[in-house]
């Protein structure tokens, strides 16, 4: 399986690397694994919807 880093995911999904870190730590990105201090995210992972918006309530992925 191919993986991408937080920086690559943030460029792909147009959010900050810190938000990607929150998503990974919360378990909202299936298949994300932490190796030492680095999160590895599957390249085919979908962006989780930000739950603090009205649009995001009840939805999980864009």
């Amino acid at each position: 399986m191919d993986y991408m880093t937080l920086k690559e995911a943030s460029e792909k999904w147009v959010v900050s690397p810190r938000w990607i870190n929150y998503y990974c730590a919360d378990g909202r990105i299936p298949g994300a694994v932490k190796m030492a201090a680095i999160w590895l995210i599957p390249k085919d992972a979908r962006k989780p919807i930000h739950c603090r918006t009205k649009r995001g309530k009840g939805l999980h992925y864009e």
Side-chain angles (χ1 to χ4, degrees):
M1 181 179 285
D2 291 332
Y3 292 98
M4 59 184 161
T5 62
L6 287 177
K7 183 177 179 183
E8 293 168 340
S10 70
E11 291 170 359
K12 179 180 177 183
W13 294 339
V14 192
V15 293
S16 71
R18 187 67 183 148
W19 274 111
I20 306 293
N21 191 40
Y22 288 139
Y23 294 149
C24 291
D26 197 30
R28 295 182 54 202
I29 301 176
V33 292
K34 191 168 188 177
M35 300 291 279
I38 299 171
W39 281 102
L40 298 175
I41 301 158
K43 287 203 179 213
D44 60 348
R46 294 170 37 196
K47 176 186 174 186
I49 290 180
H50 190 60
C51 290
R52 293 193 310 180
T53 64
K54 289 182 182 179
R55 182 175 161 253
K57 298 223 186 271
L59 301 175
H60 299 288
Y61 300 100
E62 284 185 1

